[in-house]
């Protein structure tokens, strides 16, 4: 069946706009559900070349609770302080059975960051910048389709960047092509890799760095890699449904 993940949203706000509405929070949950269940409206835009590997991951996200805290901090560094009440943040709630998301203003240039499976429970989860969270309110183009969370939750479920963080590096998924490096903006199709065999790059994959409007698929190999962590013995087996 479909894996169901309870989601706890931790909101750290300085301005009233940052004390996001329930509607903006739900817009992020809805975007995750579309992207992880192949019901995103742009799923049909995947080029024919990749139609055989585009995947319905089949993971459902359910909003479980929202915690809010006002802060005097204008922006947060990527040092996990937002996850610690002793540093002005909010501790995660039951991180072995719930996905914790933190909403805060990250230091300039950062859209989000995630902890990979196997890390400390106390810092487990995903952090999203206030301007890249959900699809309304403080979300700002070109990162206002909720896909920073789609990308970060991909990391949280063990996915690597599609270019493998190196020139023609590996993401340990065999149905994704080798990418020369990260792609930004909205590349025109086809965009050829300079790597061995010069394959067409899958720039519309959520694990690239393109704009929200230009990323709309996971591959079957990525799906397998994500689902593996929820199986018996996997790093997130505690999330699996009975
Ligand atoms: N730079 C971030 C990371 O490496 C996220 C990029 C998300 N991209 C987007 N179009 N929302 O995890
Ligand atoms: Ca921001
Ligand atoms: Zn990333």
């Amino acid at each position: 069946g479909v894996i169901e993940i309870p989601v706890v949203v931790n909101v750290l706000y300085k301005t009233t706009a940052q004390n996001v509405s329930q509607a903006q929070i739900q817009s992020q949950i809805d975007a995750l559900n579309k992207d992880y269940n192949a019901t995103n409206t742009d799923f049909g835009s995947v080029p024919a070349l990749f139609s055989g590997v585009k995947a319905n991951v089949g993971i459902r996200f359910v909003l479980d609770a929202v915690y809010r805290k006002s802060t005097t901090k204008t922006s947060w560094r990527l040092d996990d302080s937002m996850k610690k009440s002793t540093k002005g943040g909010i501790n995660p709630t039951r991180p072995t059975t719930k996905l914790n998301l933190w909403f805060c203003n990250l230091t300039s240039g950062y859209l989000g960051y995630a902890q990979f499976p196997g890390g400390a429970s106390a810092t487990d989860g995903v952090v999203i910048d206030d301007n890249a969270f959900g699809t309304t309110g403080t979300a700002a183009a070109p990162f206002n389709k909720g896909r920073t969370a789609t990308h970060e939750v991909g990391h949280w479920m063990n996915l690597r960047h599609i270019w493998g963080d190196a020139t023609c590096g590996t993401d340990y998924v065999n149905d994704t092509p080798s990418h020369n490096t990260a792609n930004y903006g909205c590349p025109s199709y086809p965009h050829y890799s300079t790597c061995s065999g010069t394959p067409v790059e899958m720039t519309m994959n959520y694990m690239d760095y393109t704009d929200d409007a230009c990323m709309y698929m996971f591959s079957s190999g990525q799906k397998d890699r994500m689902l593996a962590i929820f199986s018996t013995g996997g790093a997130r087996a505690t999330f699996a449904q009975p």
Side-chain angles (χ1 to χ4, degrees):
V2 171
I3 294 173
E4 205 169 272
I5 309 250
V7 181
V8 172
V9 178
N10 302 291
V11 178
L12 291 158
Y13 64 95
K14 185 179 186 207
T15 67
T16 49
Q18 289 169 341
N19 192 12
V20 276
S21 65
Q22 198 71 19
Q24 186 174 349
I25 292 169
Q26 191 59 49
S27 78
Q28 180 60 77
I29 302 292
D30 293 346
L32 284 168
N33 279 319
K34 287 175 187 158
D35 291 351
Y36 279 84
N37 293 278
T39 53
N40 48 303
T41 56
D42 43 8
F43 192 61
S45 302
V46 173
L49 178 64
F50 303 131
S51 60
V53 301
K54 68 180 187 181
N56 175 355
V57 178
I59 293 179
R60 195 175 297 138
F61 299 87
V62 182
L63 184 61
D64 184 75
V66 179
Y67 297 102
R68 298 170 184 273
K69 187 174 185 177
S70 90
T71 177
T72 53
K73 261 173 121 111
T74 301
S75 67
W76 298 75
R77 299 193 305 181
L78 285 74
D79 61 359
D80 291 338
S81 50
M82 71 290 288
K83 305 171 182 175
K84 297 169 182 167
S85 61
T86 53
K87 302 221 166 143
I90 303 174
N91 291 339
T93 298
R94 300 190 184 285
T96 58
T97 53
K98 297 172 198 292
L99 164 60
N100 278 255
L101 297 185
W102 282 267
F103 168 101
C104 61
N105 186 21
L106 284 175
T107 188
S108 166
Y110 291 95
L111 299 172
Y113 77 101
Q115 183 168 300
F116 281 91
S121 286
T123 51
D124 198 30
V126 162
V127 183
I128 307 290
D129 181 65
D130 59 340
N131 301 122
F133 183 95
T135 61
T136 59
T138 60
F143 303 112
N144 58 347
K145 292 188 180 295
R147 284 170 169 164
T148 298
T150 301
H151 175 108
E152 300 305 338
V153 170
H155 286 315
W156 185 81
M157 294 183 185
N158 210 26
L159 295 188
R160 304 290 167 148
H161 289 138
I162 197 162
W163 70 98
D165 295 313
T167 304
C168 306
T170 182
D171 60 359
Y172 306 101
V173 170
N174 53 32
D175 62 6
T176 50
S178 293
H179 283 213
N180 183 49
T181 185
N183 292 294
Y184 294 89
C186 203
S188 58
Y189 183 85
H191 174 75
Y192 285 92
S193 169
T194 62
C195 311
S196 171
T198 63
V200 174
E201 295 193 358
M202 195 183 276
T203 63
M204 64 296 300
N205 191 283
Y206 295 122
M207 300 317 290
D208 206 333
Y209 266 1
T210 48
D211 288 348
D212 278 16
C214 305
M215 48 168 62
Y216 33 83
M217 68 170 286
F218 284 117
S219 76
S220 302
Q222 287 176 320
K223 169 181 176 168
D224 293 346
R225 189 171 164 87
M226 288 191 270
L227 295 185
I229 62 158
F230 296 103
S231 63
T232 308
R236 299 199 185 283
T238 50
F239 283 80
Q241 321 295 299

